[in-house]
Amino acid sequence: MLLDADDSQLVLVDYQARLMPAIHDAPAVLANARRLAQMARLLGVPVWASEQNPARLGGTEPELALLCDRIVHKMAFSATEALQAVLAPPAQAPRGNARSLPRHLQKAQPAEPERGTLVLAGCEAHVCLLQTALELLEQEWDVCVVTDACGSRTDRSRDAAFDRLAGAGCELVTTEMVGFEWLRGCEHPRFKDWLALIR
């Protein structure tokens, strides 16, 4: 299954100012998160971010924050509840004259997400990212985790998170996989922009 830009949403979990210095290989992790967000913006993919207890851990890294459509705050480790309002569209209201509609159409039906694939990256991989991804899987989203844009304080914790996520059904991908799959070919009008981001 290739990723489709028209079916994707990018979720960036807790790339916060006071957390990033403690993350193993933080400059590379953050650079890949920025590349993902820049590519998403070029292709019209929504970009959401979460912040864990921002009063204590600070806001999202400033350059990354500028690329986000919305940033949600949370106190729970999982960002799932905080993201609900942006990930799923509201239920559709009934249309037409209520008396003229068959009974089964008179109640609002929950809308299917217009973009059912969530591309996740974040910190810490074994805590907030892991819990977010597992809960989103439970809600039947298609979840892809961008491994080279995720970090933890130790690589051992990060790798344990990837093992668990793969076992639960997440697709593990890299930043370049996402970009090239969203583009699908070198004739895409944004192909040269993508090459400039990864070189």
Side-chain angles (χ1 to χ4, degrees), residues 57-128:
L57 295 175
T60 300
E61 189 273 333
E63 288 181 41
L64 196 57
L66 292 173
L67 298 167
C68 296
D69 292 296
R70 185 165 168 192
I71 299 172
V72 299
H73 300 163
K74 63 189 179 72
M75 295 301 283
F77 296 126
S78 171
T80 305
E81 185 176 336
L83 289 166
Q84 287 305 314
V86 296
L87 292 180
Q92 295 177 356
R95 296 185 183 136
N97 182 333
R99 290 183 181 181
S100 66
L101 289 173
R103 184 174 298 278
H104 71 281
L105 294 178
Q106 290 182 19
K107 294 181 181 178
Q109 300 295 320
E112 290 293 320
E114 292 179 15
R115 293 172 174 266
T117 301
L118 302 181
V119 178
L120 267 66
C123 301
E124 287 196 61
H126 66 295
V127 183
C128 296

Side-chain angles (χ1 to χ4, degrees), residues 161-179:
F162 295 156
D163 289 343
R164 189 166 173 202
L165 289 166
C170 284
E171 293 285 331
L172 300 185
V173 297
T174 66
T175 300
E176 289 197 17
M177 284 178 178
V178 174

